[in-house]
Amino acid sequence: MKKREYYENLFASYPDVVTLQEFREMLGGIGDGTARKLMRGNHVKHYYIRHTYLIPKPYVIDYVLSAHYAEYKNELKVQV
């Protein structure tokens, strides 16, 4: 399992607070609907201000280190 430092380096070029589009890119180009489901399901901590999702970068890293993300990645591998 990769450590927090790995993801901090990987996402270093992104701003401290990312938009939904940037979040999608950070997770390998997931679809808009999938990203919104993650937000609505509260799997990723975020702020929703004036119809805009704002996600602090540490919350993205918390998500990619979570059990939910690991399960999601395994589901994708099985479907392929």
Side-chain angles (χ1 to χ4, degrees), residues 10-69:
L10 182 66
F11 299 146
S13 64
Y14 288 94
D16 291 336
V17 178
V18 298
T19 63
L20 190 64
Q21 177 63 33
E22 291 165 326
F23 173 72
R24 291 172 52 205
E25 291 170 12
M26 292 168 91
L27 294 188
I30 64 172
D32 188 65
T34 302
R36 290 176 188 275
K37 280 183 191 177
L38 291 172
M39 298 298 144
R40 287 192 299 263
N42 289 322
H43 297 292
V44 180
K45 294 179 187 177
H46 63 280
Y47 299 98
Y48 188 68
I49 302 170
R50 294 188 180 199
H51 307 290
T52 303
Y53 288 102
L54 298 173
I55 310 110
K57 191 167 27 175
Y59 293 171
V60 176
I61 295 171
D62 290 343
Y63 177 66
V64 297
L65 294 172
S66 73
H68 184 270
Y69 182 70

